[in-house]
Amino acid sequence: MTQQHDTIQITLEDGTRLDVPSGTTPLELVERAGVDVEPVIAVVDGELWDLTRPLERDATVGFRDAQSEEGLYALRHSAAHVMAEAICRLWPDAKLAYGPPTENGFYYDIYLEEPISSDDFPRIQKEMQKIIAEKRPFTRVELPPEVAMDRLREEDNKYKLDNAERALEAGDGVLSFYVTGTPGENWEDLCRGPHVPHTGYIGAPKVMSVAASHWHGDVNSDQFQRVYGTAFRTKAELKEYLNRLEAAKQRDHRVVGQKLGLFTIDEQVGPGLILWKPRGGRLRQVLQDFLTGELVRRGYQVVFTPHIGKIDLYKTSGHYPFYADSQFPPISLEDGEQYLLKPMNCPHHIKIFASDHYSYRDLPIRLAEFGTVYRFEQSGELQGMTRVRGFTQDDAHIFCTPEQVRDEFRATVELVQFVFRTFGFDDVSIRLSLRDPNSDKYAGDPALWDRAERELREVLEDMGIDFRAEEGEAAFYGPKVDFVVRDVIGRRWQLGTVQLDYNLPERFGIQYIGADNQAHRPVMIHRAPFGSMERFVAILIEHYNGAFPYWLAPEQVRVLPVSDKHAEYAADLGRRLIDRGVRAETDLRSETLSKKIREAQKMKIPVMLIVGDQEVESGTASPRLRSGEQLDALDWAALLAFLDEQDRDSRGSV
């Protein structure tokens, strides 16, 4: 039970301390604290907190406006409630299941036999606007578990009962409801919160789409209608977001990738399984060569492992059964042995390490692999190259002594930063993902978890890196640092990750001989700057809109003879460029030069080389850039220097 005090001390994020009566709300602090933004939510000791929820203990309090990540989260959570109420008005038989905010909006899973279609969106939106215009407060009501469960049984909604039971199992001592207005009079929903002060804060909501979903994600369970929406504080912000969505549609990797001949997906091969076409294969190879070269320079060794392994391997690691729901079913052989399609590379790398004997002088050992793994994503969740069932990770595992952890972790962070700078991702935020101390999903000794989390935090602080800590987001075997990049149209993507792991070495019993001639347990660092080749390429396609920088382009140069009589010279020039390592092709078709140029521009080739009578006579070529700029003719030496300059200047550009 929270200890009550007549007076509590509030510390603001700028260090100001205020003595206030217990029960003061963050909203009451706003004027006194001189907050220079219009807050929609508070942050109390790192926890999002309603502005109207009383403070009953000493705490550190901050405020967030609707432009902040936390503010948008709360505003969209509130918009989900408003949309759910509007749907319940229009379809009284609707049973609500779950309605969280998401990165770009929110959704609500609803059980309703009558289908909701896009034709219904205007009606839903109209009801939402009525609720918003009433400026009804979001009122938090906390109830003891037995009282709350009785109330939910009266509502006869098995989905909400299930949500409540799960919350109690997770350790919630009370269950909270949010009433959109006055308790006992207005609409309410079982919810942890938090919410904005009243519905009027939701200045610009929009119902976006509807799709099918299932209870607990199980295709054999009840089917829901998942209604998606988004919301902003102002109509101008909503309009800007919709413009970004339209821009994203134009850049959709599924469309651009097909036009550029990078990849395809074939139903006979299987959904979520990518077929890399020759141009996509070249792009992937460039990426792989770039990172492999950098890894070798940084002391990594390349390894290869099989696509399957005995199920006992993954039982030892904990990946089975921890990830059993997202893995393909085991493959059973006649002799009774069972195998899994490889869900993770780390157990295989551990076995490579265990196959040799090491002393402390040999460490760190850095093993790297572009290893393909397999996950059973639900068919409704598959999306182009970003959500697939087979993908290749740029994976590596570092085995080091405890004393080497900080330096090795720092080096991996610097590697990820270098990779992102090379690709023009300049806006990168860092998330420190920690365990939830109240959850039982994390393996290993809590003392080792505390040590690992402390080490990651201190390294980030020593590097002067701003980061946000999030409980409950760690991998089951260790804390991690996730890198979230913003692309050129403002979307955020979680890409690289670095994980510190004291647990898997313990589970496998691997060791090295220390300076004391005794056996010691190494520490593992898992890292993957790209994350997966498929997803990273999809993001690059959309980030560059297919116009890859010269150094990365699958086809860097296309040689274009003006007519057939220039074909022999053009073909020879193309071969010479290929011999020098340039990814070049020659268009020898009997088409007009203007058509060849148009088609090369559609394929977004960085450099075209025009060769006609003058070029053949002088032994030169005339570069034409993707932008349409035509340059003077260059001889062979000048051409190579020009292309080298294109390569250098294109690294780290957008």
Side-chain angles (χ1 to χ4, degrees), residues 244-354:
R244 288 202 307 269
L245 276 187
E246 187 59 35
K249 287 181 183 178
Q250 301 300 320
R251 293 168 174 261
D252 191 327
H253 74 278
R254 292 167 294 186
V255 176
V256 177
Q258 295 282 353
K259 287 181 178 178
L260 297 183
L262 301 178
F263 73 95
T264 189
I265 300 173
D266 189 287
E267 284 299 315
Q268 194 168 7
V269 174
L273 301 174
I274 303 301
L275 298 173
W276 295 80
K277 300 175 78 169
R279 295 174 66 83
R282 287 200 295 272
L283 174 60
R284 173 170 166 162
Q285 192 65 52
V286 172
L287 288 169
Q288 187 167 325
D289 291 346
F290 156 73
L291 187 56
T292 300
E294 190 62 33
L295 293 179
V296 170
R297 282 189 290 274
R298 293 173 183 250
Y300 286 79
Q301 302 174 80
V302 176
V303 297
F304 298 90
T305 60
H307 290 245
I308 64 172
K310 281 188 176 181
I311 197 169
D312 289 344
L313 176 69
Y314 307 110
K315 287 181 178 179
T316 300
S317 70
H319 292 102
Y320 192 92
F322 273 97
Y323 293 133
D325 292 342
S326 60
Q327 294 171 5
F328 281 90
I331 303 167
S332 297
L333 304 184
E334 292 181 0
D335 60 6
E337 287 188 343
Q338 288 188 307
Y339 286 78
L340 276 182
L341 286 173
K342 182 171 59 173
M344 291 282 189
N345 297 305
C346 28
H348 296 251
H349 289 190
I350 291 172
K351 285 298 184 181
I352 290 176
F353 179 88

Side-chain angles (χ1 to χ4, degrees), residues 591-626:
E591 301 286 357
T592 64
L593 178 63
S594 59
K595 182 174 182 179
K596 291 179 181 179
I597 290 174
R598 284 196 306 272
E599 292 184 358
Q601 287 179 321
K602 285 182 181 179
M603 295 302 290
K604 308 194 178 188
I605 312 301
V607 177
M608 290 155 272
L609 296 179
I610 311 299
V611 292
D613 289 341
Q614 181 178 341
E615 287 80 12
V616 171
E617 182 178 343
S618 60
T620 61
S622 298
R624 179 187 177 92
L625 302 184
R626 182 164 50 199

Side-chain angles (χ1 to χ4, degrees), residues 316 444-445 448 501-510 521-522:
T316 300
D445 183 349
L448 290 177
D501 181 5
Y502 282 88
N503 289 306
L504 286 184
E506 190 71 33
R507 295 174 77 98
F508 280 93
I510 57 176
R521 195 77 70 211

Side-chain angles (χ1 to χ4, degrees), residues 356-415:
D356 288 308
H357 300 285
Y358 298 103
S359 83
Y360 70 98
R361 293 187 180 90
D362 300 315
L363 272 54
I365 299 295
R366 307 180 186 100
L367 303 180
E369 176 183 19
F370 287 85
T372 303
V373 297
Y374 301 89
R375 311 278 173 82
F376 184 68
E377 298 283 359
Q378 300 294 327
S379 58
E381 297 175 342
L382 298 174
Q383 186 174 16
M385 297 178 80
T386 59
R387 292 293 295 270
V388 293
R389 287 176 172 168
F391 56 94
T392 301
Q393 294 178 309
D394 59 319
D395 221 348
H397 297 91
I398 300 166
F399 301 85
C400 62
T401 70
E403 294 76 22
Q404 294 168 332
V405 163
R406 292 173 186 269
D407 287 343
E408 289 300 312
F409 177 71
R410 182 186 185 106
T412 60
V413 172
E414 291 172 344
L415 170 64

Side-chain angles (χ1 to χ4, degrees), residues 148-165:
M149 296 301 287
D150 285 343
R151 176 180 291 193
L152 292 171
R153 291 187 188 98
E154 289 176 6
E155 293 178 7
D156 191 29
N157 183 334
K158 67 179 182 180
Y159 312 117
K160 291 295 181 181
L161 275 168
D162 181 75
N163 291 344
E165 289 168 354

Side-chain angles (χ1 to χ4, degrees), residues 114-129:
E114 181 181 346
I116 296 174
S117 73
S118 58
D119 293 337
D120 297 310
F121 293 175
R123 289 200 300 147
I124 298 172
Q125 192 106 1
K126 185 176 180 181
E127 289 299 320
M128 291 178 69
Q129 294 293 352

